[in-house]
């Protein structure tokens, strides 16, 4: 009788797993993981735009020449010496863009990965149900039990472990880094706004006299010099937060889940 109920329970669980494999949108764990990943993709995209705006302002300022006629002709590029800051911002923005792309790929792949996992889990449970119905799990051939246990363990890791790891990792990362994220993002917005106000657009630069242009670029140079450390620190902090939320914490959570999977299915063979 116990063997019957065990086999019947495995059969019901296999049917549920098969349903979830065919209908990934009804799985709340997967949809929540995808929602968290989309939020990070949007946030990283906004950060990338802010960094590129600062990068564009710096690049534009370096290329504009200010000319004056004081008995001789002279052309200067007041912000050319800020090129190292510009290069650093460009490299960090490229890294943030890579994070945004990675997040988008993970968000799109989460559903298919979970579906395959539930399919493997269903196969493992069907095998166990068959063994229980025909003579008992422990009487089944060793290779068959190992195959069923392998399908069950791998399927559990893909269907439940991976989405759960991302949910826990991203949520934990948001809780742990909320204050640092807000401060760093505010710094980028402030510096970007100051750059736009001081340097202005190309049309505005053409309308300025050489004295006004020199004053504007001198103020911009001083502003970028004073905020170079804050700009670099905010950029690296945001990049670190993205990596922590998307790689470090989910990886740690996944390792913990895999240990649980090994404990649950290790004796299945």
């Amino acid at each position: 009788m116990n063997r019957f109920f065990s086999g019947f329970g495995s059969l019901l669980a296999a049917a549920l797993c098969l349903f979830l494999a065919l209908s990934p949108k009804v799985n709340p764990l997967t949809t929540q993981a995808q929602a968290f990943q989309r939020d990070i993709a949007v946030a990283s995209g906004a950060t990338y735009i802010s960094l590129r705006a600062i990068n564009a302002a710096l690049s534009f300022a370096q290329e504009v020449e200010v000319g004056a006629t004081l008995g001789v002709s002279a052309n200067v590029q007041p912000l050319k010496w800020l090129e190292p800051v510009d290069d650093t911002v460009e490299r960090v923005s490229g890294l943030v863009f890579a994070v945004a792309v990675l997040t988008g790929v993970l968000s799109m792949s989460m559903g298919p990965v979970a579906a395959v996992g539930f399919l493997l889990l269903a196969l493992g449970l069907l095998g166990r149900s068959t063994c229980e119905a025909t003579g008992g799990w422990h009487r089944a051939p060793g290779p068959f039990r190992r195959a069923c246990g392998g399908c069950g363990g791998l399927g559990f890791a893909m269907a439940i472990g991976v989405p759960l790891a991302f949910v826990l990792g991203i949520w934990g990362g948001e809780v742990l880094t909320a204050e640092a994220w807000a401060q760093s993002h505010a710094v980028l917005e402030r510096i970007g706004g100051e750059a736009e106000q001081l340097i202005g657009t190309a049309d505005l630069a053409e309308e300025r006299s050489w004295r006004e242009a020199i004053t504007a670029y001198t103020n911009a140079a001083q502003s970028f010099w004073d905020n170079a450390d804050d700009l670099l620190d905010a950029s690296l902090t945001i990049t670190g937060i993205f990596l922590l939320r998307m790689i470090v914490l989910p990886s740690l959570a996944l390792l913990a889940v895999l240990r649980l999977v090994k404990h649950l299915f290790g004796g299945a063979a």
Side-chain angles (χ1 to χ4, degrees):
M1 184 62 69
N2 291 334
R3 194 176 65 195
F4 171 78
F5 282 112
S6 178
F8 185 69
S10 298
L11 183 61
L12 288 179
L16 177 61
C17 290
L18 186 59
F19 170 75
L20 291 174
L22 299 176
S23 306
K25 292 184 178 181
V26 303
N27 182 5
L29 193 60
T30 303
T31 55
Q32 185 62 59
Q34 289 175 324
F36 280 157
Q37 289 168 341
R38 284 193 296 268
D39 290 342
I40 289 186
V42 171
S44 57
T47 302
Y48 172 76
I49 292 174
S50 298
L51 289 171
R52 290 300 295 173
I54 295 173
N55 180 225
L58 285 166
S59 299
F60 171 72
Q62 293 176 67
E63 297 301 324
V64 172
E65 295 182 348
V66 178
T69 303
L70 299 173
V72 293
S73 296
N75 292 310
V76 295
Q77 294 176 305
L79 292 184
K80 195 65 177 178
W81 55 276
L82 284 175
E83 186 174 358
V85 179
D86 185 21
D87 292 341
T88 301
V89 173
E90 184 176 5
R91 287 182 173 85
V92 173
S93 65
L95 181 58
V96 172
F97 181 76
V99 172
V101 172
L102 174 63
T103 306
V105 172
L106 289 174
S107 178
M108 290 186 296
S109 62
M110 188 61 62
V113 168
V116 173
F118 277 118
L119 181 60
L120 291 174
L121 190 54
L123 291 176
L125 290 169
L126 282 175
R128 187 180 185 92
S129 176
T130 301
C131 291
E132 293 290 353
T134 56
W137 171 252
H138 294 288
R139 294 183 180 179
F144 184 76
R145 287 189 289 116
R146 285 191 291 271
C148 292
C151 286
L154 181 60
F156 183 88
M158 294 175 63
I160 299 175
V162 172
L164 181 61
F166 275 101
V167 169
L168 293 177
I170 296 175
W171 174 79
E174 289 181 353
V175 173
L176 295 174
T177 61
E179 183 177 356
W181 166 264
Q183 293 175 352
S184 299
H185 196 67
V187 169
L188 292 183
E189 289 185 342
R190 174 176 59 81
I191 296 176
E194 291 176 356
E196 184 177 352
Q197 291 178 4
L198 291 170
I199 297 175
T201 62
D203 293 338
L204 180 59
E206 293 176 356
E207 295 174 359
R208 290 170 173 166
S209 66
W210 68 270
R211 290 187 179 87
E212 292 174 337
I214 287 179
T215 300
Y217 291 136
T218 302
N219 292 336
Q222 186 63 45
S223 175
F224 278 119
W225 176 257
D226 293 340
N227 291 288
D229 291 341
D230 292 338
L231 176 60
L232 180 60
D233 181 67
S235 301
L236 294 179
T237 297
I238 287 181
T239 303
I241 288 174
F242 283 138
L243 295 177
L244 180 69
R245 292 181 180 180
M246 287 303 302
I247 298 178
V248 177
L249 291 180
S251 297
L252 293 176
L254 183 58
L255 287 176
V257 172
L258 290 179
R259 294 286 295 182
L260 176 62
V261 171
K262 183 177 180 180
H263 176 73
L264 292 176
F265 291 96

